[in-house]
């Protein structure tokens, strides 16, 4: 039960973070469309790092 | 975490490590090295070819510029030559004209001088002739005078009239 | 086309080698039957996510109510207390609850939830406590050729076969033909988009081989995991752990002086903070980085398999509420959609693993321009005054 609540909290946090990353990346791309490739790569890396953190927390709590 | 550790199989880990090590070794030796080597070689070849083409293009441009320059020079030279020839022509014509004029002038002068001379000679001859005639007339007149006065006058008049006609 | 034919022949050969000697139909009464309820679906999914000791293709229940399984057994290799023991997994008769005891070399073995246990001396059957843990048996070191190992071997051989062919093509001509035209851009992609920008122009050549191997290994295994053959290799924590530890060893051993300096004695910060930072950096570099690598791949693939199998299970679980056609249609549409996403995830996870490995290696070999120790140049007073007067 408690770990389900924990998992929910993790997903909320991770979702918020991913939204931030994606949103800011979109803004960046809209501002400088010629840098889209670089922004995308950086975005994927940061998203992957965040994902690692979230999965780590989920698995530790399981 | 507990299930994670429980699911971890040390045997599979060992087998995977050995197989992956083997795979990396074999792939690097027999696949990636030749592939990447060939690709790099090809890329360098393409780059060289591009560089050579660029160089050839530049040389071509230089050559063309040279040709253009030479052509320009030739054109200029031709123009000066034509100009010179034209000038020479006009000069020659002018000179010929001047020469001819001078010649003509000279000839006219000579002719005039000759005419003058002839005239003078003729005049002199005429004078002598007239003088002789006058003397003759005078002689005759004198002779007639001595015989007939009227006749003398008449004679003089006749003579003079003749002389004028002459 | 030729390469496809050849690949097909190659695959057919492998399958034939297995099948001709070992395909068998075996029956068991105690295992399962049809799967209808939520609990059975859960058990089935968790069973699938585990590594398996035999290669099951399909199973059905015949008219006499017997459960028939089709597949082939794989060799079991164990390091028990009495030394090395080998036998075929068919000796367990597809039992997964520890009921069938195999006695070899004086040791007794039982298979419980896809793991092999060695019974304590004198014990005849496995005893369980309330939480279904075996009380009189212990895990044994298991070097078996499991389904995952078969997957690794097949993909390894396939990779080797494809890329050696590609390498040979370059000897004859500059541009590859056939299937090589598919592989070459992928190789170039890994080299130019992952290896070169992250590691740097100077060092990338040394590590590109490793990155290429890992990229294709993970990608192909992820893709094989999506086929109905039921491989779940990159969803095995041991496999991803091994991959992450390879990356860790590579970047730890190729790290230059600056790398270690930045971990152990960070320049540019007050002396008192440096030991604290060193601890944080050490934990980050040697535990968190590889842990995030291994957990990310494992969790993504596990989650993908779970979701796909759960969506397929809609067909059985919601049969009563939606009707057969409705449940099947819903399940079909949802699982096709999630399958597309999983194909993307299969590539993305391979890309991210390779990308982060390249990034970590790049951090280790990067040459810093030493800006830390130089004091910031204070503007000359006279120059500033000059601006005002």
């Amino acid at each position: 039960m408690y770990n389900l609540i924990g998992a929910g909290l993790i997903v909320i946090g991770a979702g918020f973070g991913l939204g931030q990353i994606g949103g800011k990346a979109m803004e960046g791309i809209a501002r400088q469309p010629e840098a889209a490739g670089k922004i995308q790569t950086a975005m994927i890396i940061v998203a992957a790092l965040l994902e690692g953190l979230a999965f780590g927390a989920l698995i530790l709590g399981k | 975490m507990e299930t994670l550790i429980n699911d971890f199989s040390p045997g599979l880990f060992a087998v995977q490590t050995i197989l992956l090590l083997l795979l990396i070794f074999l792939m690097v030796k027999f696949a990636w090295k030749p592939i990447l080597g060939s690709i790099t070689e090809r890329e360098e070849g393409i780059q060289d070819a591009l560089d050579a083409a660029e160089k050839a293009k530049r040389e071509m441009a230089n050559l063309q510029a040279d040709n253009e320059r030479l052509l320009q020079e030739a054109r200029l030279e031709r123009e000066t030559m034509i100009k010179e020839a034209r000038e020479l022509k006009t000069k020659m014509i002018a000179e010929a004209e001047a020469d001819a004029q001078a010649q003509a002038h000279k000839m006219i002068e000579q002719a005039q001088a000759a005419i003058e001379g002839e005239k003078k000679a003729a005049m002199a001859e005429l004078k002598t002739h007239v003088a002789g005639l006058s003397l003759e007339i005078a002689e005759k007149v004198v002779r007639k005078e001595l015989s007939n006065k009227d006749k003398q006058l008449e004679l003089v008049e006749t003579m003079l009239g003749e002389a004028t006609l002459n | 086309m030729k390469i496809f034919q050849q690949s097909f022949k190659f695959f057919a050969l492998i399958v034939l080698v297995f099948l001709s000697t070992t395909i068998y139909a075996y029956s068991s009464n105690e295992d399962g039957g049809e799967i209808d309820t939520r609990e059975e679906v859960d058990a089935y999914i968790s069973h699938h996510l585990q590594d398996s000791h035999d290669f099951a293709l399909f199973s059905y229940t015949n008219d006499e109510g017997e459960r028939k399984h089709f597949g082939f057994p794989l060799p079991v290799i164990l390091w028990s207390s009495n030394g090395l023991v080998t036998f075929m997994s068919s000796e367990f008769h597809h039992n997964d609850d520890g009921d069938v005891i195999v006695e070899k070399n004086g040791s007794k073995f039982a298979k419980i939830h896809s793991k092999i246990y060695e019974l304590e001396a004198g014990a005849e059957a496995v005893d369980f406590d309330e939480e279904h843990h075996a009380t009189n048996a212990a895990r044994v070191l298991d070097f078996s050729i499991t389904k995952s190992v078969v997957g690794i071997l097949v993909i390894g051989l396939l990779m080797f076969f494809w890329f050696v062919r590609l390498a040979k093509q370059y000897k004859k001509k500059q541009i590859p033909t056939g299937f090589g035209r598919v592989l070459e851009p992928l190789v170039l992609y890994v080299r130019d988009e992952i290896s070169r920008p992250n590691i740097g122009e100077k060092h990338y050549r040394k590590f590109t081989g490793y990155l290429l191997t890992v990229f294709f290994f993970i990608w192909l295994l992820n893709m094989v995991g999506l086929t109905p053959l039921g491989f779940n290799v990159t969803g095995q924590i041991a496999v991803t752990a091994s991959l992450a530890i390879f990356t860790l060893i590579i970047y730890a051993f190729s790290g230059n002086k600056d790398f270690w300096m930045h971990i152990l004695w960070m320049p540019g910060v007050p002396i008192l903070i440096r030991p604290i930072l060193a601890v944080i950096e050490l934990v980050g570099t040697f535990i968190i980085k590889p842990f995030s690598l291994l957990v990310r791949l494992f969790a993504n693939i596990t989650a993908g398999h779970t979701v796909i199998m759960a969506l397929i299970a809609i067909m059985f679980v919601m049969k009563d509420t939606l009707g057969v056609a409705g449940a099947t249609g819903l399940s079909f549409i949802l699982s096709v959609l999630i399958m597309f996403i999983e194909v993307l995830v299969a590539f993305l996870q391979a890309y991210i693993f390779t990308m982060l490995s390249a990034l970590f290696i790049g951090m280790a070999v990067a040459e810093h321009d030493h800006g830390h120790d130089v004091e910031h140049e204070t503007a000359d007073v006279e120059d500033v005054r000059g601006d005002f007067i």
Side-chain angles (χ1 to χ4, degrees), chain B residues 39 42-43, chain C residues 183-193:
Chain B
I39 288 174
R42 193 180 67 195
E43 278 169 351
Chain C
L183 297 176
E184 197 204 79
L186 293 168
V187 174
L188 282 177
Y189 177 77
V190 174
R191 192 194 67 170
D192 293 339
E193 302 296 324

Side-chain angles (χ1 to χ4, degrees), chain B residues 90-109:
Chain B
T90 38
K91 213 167 120 192
M92 271 167 81
I93 289 170
E95 270 178 8
E97 260 174 15
D99 258 16
Q101 220 151 17
Q103 200 90 23
H105 215 68
K106 216 167 138 192
M107 276 165 81
I108 289 167
E109 270 178 0

Side-chain angles (χ1 to χ4, degrees), chain C residues 217-242:
Chain C
F217 185 76
I218 296 174
W219 187 26
L220 291 173
L221 281 172
N222 286 348
M223 292 302 276
V224 166
L226 297 176
T227 63
L229 288 172
F231 284 110
N232 183 25
V233 185
T234 35
Q236 298 301 323
I237 194 91
V239 173
T240 59
S242 170

Side-chain angles (χ1 to χ4, degrees), chain A residues 8-61:
Chain A
L9 288 174
I10 293 162
V11 170
I12 289 171
F16 181 71
L18 276 174
Q20 287 277 317
I21 295 165
K24 296 287 176 191
M26 291 291 157
E27 270 177 31
I29 291 170
R31 242 176 239 182
Q32 271 174 300
E34 69 275 4
K38 278 183 185 174
I39 293 172
Q40 246 159 21
T41 312
M43 179 186 83
I44 287 175
I45 290 172
V46 178
L49 291 173
L50 172 75
E51 194 189 45
L53 203 71
F55 274 132
L58 279 176
I59 278 169
L60 283 173

Side-chain angles (χ1 to χ4, degrees), chain C residues 67-174:
Chain C
R67 191 81 184 144
K68 293 273 188 189
H69 301 275
F70 272 88
F72 38 90
L74 298 167
V76 177
I77 304 161
L78 302 170
W79 185 256
S80 69
S81 51
N82 293 325
L84 201 66
V85 182
T86 54
F87 52 95
M88 291 307 276
S89 67
S90 52
E91 296 194 29
F92 283 118
H93 299 295
H94 206 258
N95 178 284
D96 208 29
D97 302 321
D99 294 341
V100 176
I101 308 291
V102 176
E103 201 169 338
K104 289 273 154 154
N105 284 21
S107 309
K108 295 193 186 76
F109 301 103
K111 187 151 73 83
I112 309 164
H113 294 306
S114 303
K115 288 183 219 34
I116 295 177
Y117 288 73
E118 186 182 0
L119 270 67
E120 283 165 14
E124 287 301 320
V126 187
D127 295 329
F128 295 103
D129 58 13
E130 294 95 53
E131 288 171 330
H132 204 75
H133 291 307
T135 49
N136 60 348
R139 289 273 295 277
V140 56
L141 213 51
D142 183 0
F143 300 108
S144 308
I145 309 298
T146 56
K147 200 171 179 179
S148 295
V149 177
V150 171
I152 292 165
L153 283 170
V154 169
I155 290 303
L157 283 172
L158 202 65
M159 267 172 77
F160 188 71
F161 176 73
W162 280 352
F163 287 103
V164 168
R165 256 186 70 93
L166 179 64
K168 274 189 190 143
Q169 283 187 349
Y170 283 112
K171 279 187 190 145
K172 280 175 267 168
K173 45 195 171 290
Q174 291 265 295

Side-chain angles (χ1 to χ4, degrees), chain C residues 21-37:
Chain C
T21 54
T22 58
I23 193 158
Y24 71 118
Y26 49 93
S27 56
S28 60
N29 293 321
E30 60 277 299
D31 184 25
E34 275 159 23
I35 293 159
D36 290 322
T37 63

Side-chain angles (χ1 to χ4, degrees), chain C residues 8 27 32 54 79 89 99 101 104 173 178 216-217 238 258 277 291 297 309 326 355:
Chain C
F8 181 73
S27 56
D54 41 23
W79 185 256
S89 67
D99 294 341
I101 308 291
K104 289 273 154 154
K173 45 195 171 290
F216 285 106
F217 185 76
D258 282 343
L277 266 180
F291 187 72
L297 183 56
M309 293 187 83
M355 178 69 132

